[in-house]
Amino acid sequence: MQRDATEYIAKCFELDANRNYYFKGVWINTDYFKGIETDIKSSFVFPEIHDEVNMKWKEMIENTNSVSIHFRGGDYYKNGFSVLTNNYYTRAISLILDKVENPVFFVFTDDIVNAKQSIPDMDCCYYIDNNNGFCSYVDMQLMSMCHHNIIANSTFSFWGAYLNNNSDKIVIAPTTTVGSCELPYQSEGWFLL
């Protein structure tokens, strides 16, 4: 059993391949994916988007210098997890503004009220909160289509950024961890703030 979702347990690869094992954990450490990144990305493919609202978002994301911002509030407040501050989002947005020409920001959230209080007011910013319940994965899908990503301390936005196939993507991740995790959710080449 994995107690820290960010730890790497090398022993998993030394187990007897002829026996059955039950693994429980989040397995967010990218050391597990070393050498098979292409396989991971080709295995996790989203279905086509067909609904009118998300088709509109998809078109805007594909036709702009899009940057996803993920704000996770709702269940984090309820469960006592660290919710990212205005300071983190301000610094991350400043870094994007320094490196990306004409960025358009797309905020994905389960908590639009607190997101609007935590994310600085800016031009060219859209809040997406129409994908709930069973359709929540569409937010991750749209995040993965953005050119760049500002993620929360959340595996949900980690995967949105990790599955982003833009070879020139800029990904900004927080150093703030969740629960018992010791390391931030990050991948090689991402900026930590």
Side-chain angles (χ1 to χ4, degrees):
M1 177 181 217
Q2 185 187 41
R3 301 206 189 294
D4 175 351
T6 61
E7 82 179 302
Y8 175 70
I9 305 170
K11 222 161 74 170
C12 292
F13 296 101
E14 299 165 7
L15 298 172
D16 182 352
N18 295 315
R19 296 195 52 206
N20 293 322
Y21 299 93
Y22 174 74
F23 294 96
K24 184 177 180 185
V26 178
W27 315 99
I28 198 74
N29 189 309
T30 56
D31 287 343
Y32 291 111
F33 318 148
K34 287 264 193 257
I36 60 166
E37 294 89 351
T38 303
D39 295 333
I40 294 287
K41 290 181 179 190
S42 64
S43 295
F44 293 97
V45 178
F46 296 100
E48 286 294 318
I49 293 175
H50 295 291
D51 69 280
E52 191 175 321
V53 174
N54 286 312
M55 286 293 290
K56 179 190 98 170
W57 292 127
K58 177 180 184 249
E59 185 177 325
M60 288 176 70
I61 285 168
E62 290 176 340
N63 293 309
T64 62
N65 235 347
S66 54
V67 180
S68 75
I69 300 176
H70 185 221
F71 178 86
R72 180 119 179 221
D75 65 327
Y76 272 33
Y77 286 116
K78 194 174 4 176
N79 294 317
F81 292 142
S82 298
V83 177
L84 297 174
T85 64
N86 177 278
N87 182 48
Y88 166 71
Y89 288 107
T90 300
R91 290 172 46 222
I93 289 165
S94 291
L95 183 59
I96 290 290
L97 291 171
D98 285 345
K99 296 184 174 297
V100 176
E101 191 174 327
N102 301 317
V104 177
F105 296 94
F106 295 87
V107 178
F108 297 87
T109 185
D110 63 342
D111 185 350
I112 197 155
V113 172
N114 285 310
K116 286 185 175 182
Q117 291 174 359
S118 295
I119 295 169
D121 189 29
M122 60 192 146
D123 294 332
C124 296
C125 182
Y126 300 92
Y127 285 81
I128 300 173
D129 69 341
N130 57 283
N131 298 307
N132 302 302
F134 179 74
C135 296
S136 294
Y137 75 88
V138 180
D139 277 358
M140 184 189 297
Q141 180 175 12
L142 291 169
M143 283 187 230
S144 75
M145 293 175 176
C146 288
H147 292 103
H148 310 287
N149 309 93
I150 297 172
I151 72 169
N153 51 342
S154 163
T155 56
F156 190 85
S157 53
F158 166 88
W159 281 107
Y162 188 83
L163 295 173
N164 177 342
N165 287 318
N166 177 11
S167 60
D168 297 325
K169 69 183 175 185
I170 296 168
V171 179
I172 302 169
T175 56
T176 303
T177 59
V178 176
S180 63
C181 293
E182 290 188 24
L183 301 172
Y185 299 155
Q186 67 170 328
S187 187
E188 193 174 317
W190 294 7
F191 290 93
L192 284 176
L193 294 180

